[in-house]
Amino acid sequence: MKGFSPLPHQQDVLDLLTKRERLGRIVTVKSSRQKGKSLLIANLLLFYAFNYKRTSNFCVSPTLKQSKNLFKMIVNACPNEIVSSSNATDLDIEFINRSTISFRSAEQGDSLRGYTCKGILCVDECAFIPDDVFYKILPWVDVWKSPILLVSSPYVKSGFFWHYYSLGLQGDNPKMFSINWSDPKYKESMEKLLPSERLEEYRKILPSNQFKSEYLGEFLDDAGSVFTGFKECIKNLSITNNDSLYVGIDWAIGNSGDDTVLIALNQDGCEVEQMILNNISPTDQINRIATFLRKYKSKVKVITPETNSIGNVYIDQLFTDNPDLKSIRCEPFTTTNDSKNKIVTQLQNAFEQRKISILGTEKELNELGTYAMEFNPHTKKITYNAPNGLHDDICMALALAYNGLLNQSKTGYYAVTAFGHRYI
């Protein structure tokens, strides 16, 4: 690509993949963010397309959007006179020497079967591509022994990216190589791309696990405790006259191991109320919550109740049975894997950055201490849950309350209408 002057960490990859011995090689590159992964991939694809006639070269990314971005990067870099055709729908480029570059995404699933790669196969951000998708595209290189570049910021110590990176480090296979762009020998060139002062800014604002993986380029354990530093965030506070309250509610049936939990944070992120309800009827649960909300009605800025399972029913009953509470702003929260990950990450960051305080009851400390992350290598999804046999109701109520505090700039209120409850 015109104007590309590879830095030492990029040149080491090019040296492995552009020489005569390249056939059959698998080069795995572990990189932190903003270190020139996309530029390296684009230039390797162009190198093979320009220097080897009638080759078919591929790049596979986790999402269609990422594939389109790389497609546009290469199309914009190529003079019109060397491009025979380009298809922005299929994401294929053909050059006048009959070589092609094609972009595909992991989202295409089974339709990825059957391609043949005669140039180079690049897999971008492959730590975020499901294992079964990778093993669908791996046979593309078998016929021509085409080299493979696996490049990604690291995620967890699981899955094909971790597997191939580990094999390359062992050095037992002369065709497998691993390069760590976080190696101190690349420090000078890395600081040209991301100055140390900017790195420190990210360290201060990001959860530690996210900072480690994305900006230090470190693999994470695929399971373990989520929250750290929470024992240093204990303050024995209660509601004061000047407080504004942000309330999170995690519902339960009320006669099992799960608790219905209400937690209120004040405007400074301090936990000032914790209500745990169990072994009472749903009506009694709702009445107790209504009593609290009524007592502090003028202080409650927002309540964030979970809607899943019985949640919608309880929310409807709360406002139907207590019409005087309808003026309280309510932001019902639907829990999906993605939405749950978001609020858990927010809470994780709040503890690490000391932006929140808790009452530190024994049950609360136990739940926060055992709350765990699990990684599914097939779907590349992280899930957060209490271990089997334990509970996370306080964790969830706390995360919901903190989410309400962060979203405090919104306006509106919750209304019960003939068409059901809705946020206005």
Side-chain angles (χ1 to χ4, degrees):
M1 187 178 289
K2 185 177 180 180
F4 177 56
S5 298
L7 292 169
H9 64 285
Q10 296 168 320
Q11 187 62 57
D12 284 352
V13 180
L14 295 172
D15 289 344
L16 287 171
L17 290 169
T18 58
K19 294 182 178 180
R20 187 178 300 274
E21 302 84 5
R22 69 191 183 280
L23 292 181
R25 283 186 172 178
I26 300 178
V27 178
T28 306
V29 178
K30 178 172 72 71
S31 168
S32 53
R33 291 189 63 182
Q34 301 180 12
K35 295 303 188 294
K37 298 189 296 292
S38 297
L39 195 59
L40 173 70
I41 288 172
N43 278 276
L44 274 169
L45 291 168
L46 288 171
F47 174 86
Y48 276 80
F50 291 168
N51 289 281
Y52 303 103
K53 297 179 181 180
R54 299 178 183 272
T55 56
S56 50
N57 306 278
F58 290 87
C59 179
V60 179
S61 301
T63 67
L64 180 61
K65 182 179 180 181
Q66 290 168 307
S67 296
K68 287 182 176 180
N69 288 340
L70 279 167
F71 170 84
K72 291 176 182 177
M73 178 189 292
I74 289 184
V75 168
N76 292 336
C78 293
N80 292 334
E81 56 268 23
I82 68 170
V83 178
S84 175
S85 66
S86 64
N87 188 315
T89 300
D90 295 334
L91 302 183
D92 294 326
I93 307 170
E94 183 173 352
F95 299 93
I96 57 175
N97 66 353
R98 305 298 296 277
S99 286
T100 61
I101 300 177
S102 299
F103 299 86
R104 301 291 182 262
S105 81
E107 296 171 334
Q108 293 175 269
D110 284 341
S111 64
L112 293 172
R113 299 180 186 275
Y115 291 101
T116 299
C117 178
K118 194 180 177 182
I120 188 171
L121 170 62
C122 299
V123 188
D124 184 28
E125 290 295 0
C126 48
F128 305 92
I129 290 178
D131 287 17
D132 63 324
V133 172
F134 175 72
Y135 291 114
K136 286 185 179 76
I137 67 177
L138 190 57
W140 295 2
V141 303
D142 288 348
V143 174
W144 298 98
K145 295 182 172 52
S146 300
I148 300 174
L149 171 66
L150 305 176
V151 59
S152 183
S153 52
Y155 201 21
V156 297
K157 296 175 181 177
S158 181
F160 77 88
F161 181 64
W162 163 253
H163 174 69
Y164 277 89
Y165 181 73
S166 300
L167 289 177
L169 290 180
Q170 292 171 12
D172 297 334
N173 188 327
K175 290 292 186 179
M176 301 188 72
F177 300 85
S178 290
I179 296 180
N180 176 15
W181 280 1
S182 297
D183 192 298
K185 69 181 180 180
Y186 299 128
K187 181 178 180 181
E188 184 177 347
S189 64
M190 290 302 179
E191 288 190 344
K192 292 179 181 179
L193 298 171
L194 184 64
S196 56
E197 57 270 19
R198 188 63 181 273
L199 187 65
E200 277 305 306
E201 291 178 16
Y202 287 128
R203 186 192 300 272
K204 293 176 182 178
I205 63 175
L206 293 174
S208 59
N209 280 348
Q210 184 178 354
F211 178 75
K212 286 178 183 178
S213 64
E214 295 186 4
Y215 289 96
L216 296 185
E218 297 178 7
F219 282 100
L220 304 175
D221 293 326
D222 60 358
S225 181
V226 172
F227 301 115
T228 59
F230 57 87
K231 290 185 179 179
E232 286 73 52
C233 297
I234 299 174
K235 292 181 181 179
N236 188 16
L237 300 177
S238 56
I239 299 172
T240 67
N241 291 334
N242 297 322
D243 278 343
S244 297
L245 302 180
Y246 301 85
V247 178
I249 304 174
D250 184 61
W251 303 104
I253 296 174
N255 57 4
S256 64
D258 287 337
D259 302 309
T260 287
V261 178
L262 177 150
I263 283 180
L265 302 178
N266 69 13
Q267 66 283 349
D268 299 318
C270 301
E271 184 182 7
V272 290
E273 179 69 22
Q274 183 183 117
M275 182 188 299
I276 300 176
L277 305 173
N278 206 326
N279 295 320
I280 60 175
S281 70
T283 299
D284 286 340
Q285 290 188 54
I286 290 168
N287 287 341
R288 293 196 189 185
I289 289 172
T291 299
F292 171 83
L293 295 175
R294 186 173 294 111
K295 180 178 179 180
Y296 296 106
K297 183 177 177 181
S298 63
K299 299 179 181 299
V300 176
K301 298 302 180 182
V302 63
I303 64 172
T304 307
E306 187 182 28
T307 66
N308 297 57
S309 183
I310 57 173
N312 270 325
V313 176
Y314 282 15
I315 295 169
D316 278 338
Q317 187 175 343
L318 174 65
F319 287 98
T320 300
D321 293 352
N322 303 278
D324 59 310
L325 301 179
K326 291 180 182 179
S327 60
I328 296 178
R329 176 179 154 202
C330 179
E331 295 179 348
F333 186 89
T334 301
T335 302
T336 64
N337 191 65
D338 289 341
S339 66
K340 186 176 183 179
N341 287 1
K342 175 189 173 185
I343 64 172
V344 169
T345 300
Q346 288 175 171
L347 185 59
Q348 180 186 40
N349 188 59
F351 281 124
E352 292 174 2
Q353 303 298 328
R354 304 298 188 265
K355 296 178 179 179
I356 192 172
S357 72
I358 56 174
L359 295 175
T361 62
E362 182 179 359
K363 195 166 188 176
E364 183 174 41
L365 295 179
N366 286 338
E367 284 196 13
L368 289 170
T370 57
Y371 199 64
M373 175 188 83
E374 294 183 1
F375 176 72
N376 186 321
H378 302 294
T379 63
K380 298 297 180 182
K381 294 288 186 180
I382 278 181
T383 57
Y384 294 105
N385 287 295
N388 287 337
L390 301 180
H391 304 285
D392 62 359
D393 312 294
I394 297 175
C395 295
M396 288 306 300
L398 193 59
L400 291 167
Y402 190 67
N403 188 62
L405 175 61
L406 293 183
N407 294 337
Q408 62 184 307
S409 61
K410 295 181 181 178
T411 59
Y413 64 92
Y414 186 89
V416 178
T417 72
F419 301 101
H421 57 271
R422 62 190 178 95
Y423 175 71
I424 299 177

